[in-house]
Amino acid sequence: FRYYGVDRCDFNSSELNDIEYTRSIFYNKLEYARFSSSLGKFVGYTEWGVKNADYWNSQTAYIQQLKAARETYCQYNIGIWYQNP
């Protein structure tokens, strides 16, 4: 059994409006919850994921940190991506 998370930036340009940050949480190869910066919250895909999503969404500071990741993590690194030929 393995627990892991994957952070991802999806983008069409370096403009902040064109960037989506997602954090997917997996257990035993099954994604059970995902944070989307477009939604601004976690969504659960299993019974356990729904319970965890409800808890994580109640943690205001954690959600604000994830929302900020779109600018601090994604936009910064995408800027570097576009600088390289």
Side-chain angles (χ1 to χ4, degrees):
F1 299 107
R2 178 174 239 176
Y3 167 85
Y4 60 99
V6 176
D7 293 352
R8 186 174 70 237
C9 300
D10 296 314
F11 60 97
N12 293 323
S13 75
S14 60
E15 296 296 317
L16 190 59
N17 292 339
D18 294 333
I19 299 170
E20 181 177 15
Y21 169 79
T22 58
R23 173 174 284 176
S24 298
I25 310 296
F26 295 85
Y27 181 73
N28 201 21
K29 300 181 185 179
L30 176 67
E31 182 180 22
Y32 69 89
R34 179 185 297 171
F35 174 83
S36 167
S37 65
S38 297
L39 295 174
K41 65 179 186 175
F42 275 95
V43 175
Y45 298 112
T46 65
E47 182 179 345
W48 177 246
V50 170
K51 290 178 183 180
N52 279 276
D54 289 342
Y55 172 74
W56 290 325
N57 289 331
S58 73
Q59 304 300 306
T60 310
Y62 182 50
I63 295 298
Q64 292 303 320
Q65 179 184 11
L66 292 173
K67 287 179 181 178
R70 183 174 72 149
E71 184 174 352
T72 58
Y73 176 69
C74 292
Q75 191 174 32
Y76 173 78
N77 287 301
I78 290 167
I80 294 170
W81 173 270
Y82 278 115
Q83 288 176 3
N84 293 323

